[in-house]
Amino acid sequence: MIVSEVFIYKFGVVAVPFMDFRHFGKTPSVHCGARTPFFDLTVYNDWPQFEDYVKGVAHDNPSFVQLKTIGRSREGRPLLGVRIGKPAPAGKRKIAVWLDGGNHAREWPAFHVAVYFIEKLVNGYLVDDKITKYVNTLDIYVFPVLNPDGFVYSRTSTRATIRQWRKNRAPENCTGTGPFSSDLCCEGVDLNRNYDIGFSHKNYPFNNPCSDEFQGPRPFSEPESRAVRDFVMSSEIYGRLYALVSMHTHGQLWILPYNYHKRTYPQDFKDLETLANRAADRVFAYRETKYRVGTAADMLGTATGGATDWIKKNTPTKYVYVLELPPDMKTWFAFQVKPHWLIPIGKETWLGIEVIFDQVIEETKNFQPTAETAVTNATDNNSRSPRFRQL
């Protein structure tokens, strides 16, 4: 059912047509054999709804959706996602892309937008020509929640210190400092500071267990970050993962590597920047949501130990981005927008994702991913396998 609702946005009142996802609460959505379980994208959901949804969409669509469990959290929750894509012909490997909802507990919109993407891909298969092409051509991995423990904790109270929790739920570390004291005991690690890139205990606030950005006692100290590292380095996707987009909130920023040091860029930075600008322009054309494009280090300040920085540095993946979803930086502490914005944000962000998918398909149409596995030592950049072998 296609409906039209009026949304008030910062640029005025606009009529926005969209697919009303609320009808999924009545019966599962079914199109040409594809179906998705109930997931209400007009409210914020709890972890059990995410878990049931991800398992359900894989169960209901076995011909082109596969459940992926890449590890478990500190508290034993599964790190769940799906691989959406028709099986490759015998002897062939498909190019892969990765979308995730980020790893910061309080950034609920990013988790829900990732589910919107699953809905779009599954329900559009064999209905929408462009989406059918994506599913037939690519393996699309979507991981909505990479920090389930922190997310569950952030949903337990309306108190700011809990609702705005950012980290995972690592045990207390009693080396923290505050304005007037030291040796404080604080919990949790910022999973997006826990990767082995720019990691240093000399850098404040990343070395303070009582900081939202505590990087952890050592690189990859957390099972959540280790799970992502091990999967991107596994034989399943290493050498064929061509693009990765990790969504966060907030700020309307399209963030490129590298962010552990100012004015530090990969060799193909211009390619990443050009594609990011095209994708941001496509999003802007829809409803004038303006993204700034660049590294976070240059735009905001350095951030060490980032997942996307590490992946770009240590794998053959070419296009690696972080999206800080709306609202923009003028809105104070808006990690959780009103839930009626989830579908509009999902719609406009998907338009940018399409630009990336189209570029990946165009660039790799004559490529065959390598079948080599990652090197044992992920930091040994000189022994990485080739990016992609041209046919």
Side-chain angles (χ1 to χ4, degrees), residues 151-196:
F151 175 51
V152 168
Y153 182 66
S154 75
R155 298 280 293 166
T156 60
S157 175
T158 58
R159 289 174 51 201
T161 54
I162 296 177
R163 181 165 176 157
Q164 302 302 332
W165 187 258
R166 172 182 168 101
K167 301 181 283 187
N168 74 346
R169 296 297 293 162
E172 284 187 340
N173 182 316
C174 296
T175 63
T177 60
F180 307 107
S181 57
S182 59
D183 299 328
L184 298 176
C185 297
C186 296
E187 298 175 318
V189 167
D190 182 346
L191 297 175
N192 205 36
R193 302 290 181 269
N194 191 235
Y195 288 73
D196 191 10

Side-chain angles (χ1 to χ4, degrees), residues 252-271:
Q252 290 173 206
L253 304 173
W254 207 292
I255 297 175
L256 288 62
Y258 295 115
N259 299 290
Y260 63 91
H261 199 281
K262 289 185 177 182
R263 296 179 294 279
T264 303
Y265 316 107
Q267 289 184 344
D268 54 357
F269 180 79
K270 283 298 181 184
D271 292 344

Side-chain angles (χ1 to χ4, degrees), residues 127-147:
V127 176
D128 180 281
D129 288 343
K130 180 175 281 191
I131 289 176
T132 301
K133 180 181 179 180
Y134 296 154
V135 174
N136 286 339
T137 307
L138 303 169
D139 275 342
I140 304 162
Y141 291 81
V142 188
F143 296 93
V145 185
L146 292 174
N147 179 8

Side-chain angles (χ1 to χ4, degrees), residues 217-230:
R218 61 189 178 280
F220 297 115
S221 61
E222 305 311 299
E224 297 91 345
S225 58
R226 292 197 301 271
V228 173
R229 175 200 65 187
D230 293 348

